[in-house]
Amino acid sequence: MTDLILHQYAASPYAEMVRTALGLKGLSWRKVDQPNIMPRPFLTPLTGGYRRIPVLQVGADLYCDTGLILRELDRRFPDSPLTSANASGAAWALRTWAERAWFGATVAIVFGARGENVPQDFIKDREALSGRPFDVAALKAAAPVMAGQWRANADLVETQLAGAGPFLFGKQATAADLAAYLNIWFLASGEPRAFSRLTTGYSRLLAWQERMKAFGHGKPERLSAEDAFQIAAAATPEAQRTSIGDDAQGLAPGMAVTVMPDDYGRNPVAGEIVFVSPQEIAVRRQADGAGDVVVHFPRAGFVVTPVT
Ligand SMILES: N[C@@H](CCC(=O)N[C@@H](CS)C(=O)NCC(=O)O)C(=O)O
């Protein structure tokens, strides 16, 4: 029985990134279907309030954000690494471009087109998540401009593949391919007509999309959210790793902090630092009904605040 549990839902493009990574590495895993809106009664108590999807669980350790989930998969399963010698930093840096700059255009096109069909409870949930109105009319109005943006970013992929293919940094797919694929997958599944219009003539990109799709999702087995919670309750968090000292923010094990994303879903998770490095922070907390858990976050894109 595998230890990897992914909290996800089918339509989540960020979850698709992890599912594809699990396929690329040929791993077995357990799939917990979470609702696409709150509440998530068996997950929120474990993470301490982090509300985004996906979350990777291994026993009583919870890994938040794909930026860390992919790194953790590499740490535990170094075969088929998600970086390569010529992209050990760049693959991760490109994630920021694909997820923040490009993804904004993808979202505007998909929700601009689906517009009126988006359920009210989903709209309310996403307004609470972002702290901004979910303005379908504004998304619709922005869609043509965003189509230009989307194609400009797709064009970068086409050009890069021409020089480096079959993947963005050569022979092997990296975290950069997965992050760029997020946009391809979401537009292709969410608004297929726009996808075929905006990828016209991009034969390399389309062939690369097929290669990414061919990785599949590994070997998933279903697990209920309640059973995942019980697994956390019965487990002990992984033994503490040695932190990398001289932290830029002066953080060290034993300090009480809160951690939250710097963009949306800014719910602070409180705990005591057990591990800190330039790319990761892990905090120990008491989960109601499940005891001691450790919640792990990436450093990039997350705000850590000492609690005094
Ligand atoms: N930077 C995050 C973004 C995750 C994200 O935005 N996920 C979406 C689903 S694809 C989400 O959580 N939406 C709100 C929700 O499902 O509660 C990551 O890389 O994991």
Side-chain angles (χ1 to χ4, degrees), residues 160-237:
Q160 176 69 14
L161 289 170
F167 293 102
L168 290 177
F169 286 105
K171 288 201 175 63
Q172 126 200 8
T174 67
D177 292 271
L178 291 167
Y181 184 60
L182 165 87
N183 293 288
I184 302 299
W185 184 84
F186 195 41
L187 192 63
S189 55
E191 186 45 19
R193 279 170 315 167
F195 179 75
S196 47
R197 188 166 60 84
L198 296 175
T199 53
T200 302
Y202 287 164
S203 56
R204 291 185 184 87
L205 182 151
L206 294 170
W208 166 84
Q209 176 195 18
E210 292 307 316
R211 283 193 282 279
M212 295 301 290
K213 214 187 277 178
F215 285 128
H217 289 167
K219 296 176 209 86
E221 252 175 58
R222 284 196 185 281
L223 181 73
S224 73
E226 191 168 1
D227 285 350
F229 185 87
Q230 293 310 334
I231 288 171
T236 308

Side-chain angles (χ1 to χ4, degrees), residues 9 11-18 35-38 40 50-55 64-69 95 99-100 103 122 125-126 129 182 186 261 263-264 298 301-302:
Y9 48 85
S12 160
Y14 282 88
E16 180 65 12
M17 204 194 295
V18 180
N36 68 352
I37 57 173
M38 299 305 272
R40 298 183 179 126
Y50 178 76
R51 70 143 293 174
R52 306 194 306 196
I53 290 291
V55 171
C64 301
D65 196 284
T66 56
L68 185 66
I69 293 173
R95 280 176 45 86
E99 289 180 27
R100 295 203 174 185
F103 194 58
F122 183 89
D125 181 88
R126 292 307 191 260
L129 173 76
L182 165 87
F186 195 41
D263 46 3
Y264 52 91
F302 279 73

Side-chain angles (χ1 to χ4, degrees), residues 89-178:
W92 301 101
L94 271 198
R95 280 176 45 86
T96 311
W97 156 72
E99 289 180 27
R100 295 203 174 185
W102 193 2
F103 194 58
T106 311
V107 167
I109 298 169
V110 171
F111 285 109
R114 285 187 191 172
E116 296 71 30
N117 303 326
V118 182
Q120 271 310 312
D121 54 356
F122 183 89
I123 291 182
K124 278 209 178 71
D125 181 88
R126 292 307 191 260
E127 287 183 335
L129 173 76
S130 66
R132 288 196 310 268
F134 189 103
D135 188 341
V136 173
L139 288 169
K140 250 190 194 343
V145 174
M146 290 302 162
Q149 296 299 304
W150 201 93
R151 183 143 167 113
N153 286 308
D155 188 72
L156 295 177
V157 171
E158 178 73 13
T159 317
Q160 176 69 14
L161 289 170
F167 293 102
L168 290 177
F169 286 105
K171 288 201 175 63
Q172 126 200 8
T174 67
D177 292 271
L178 291 167

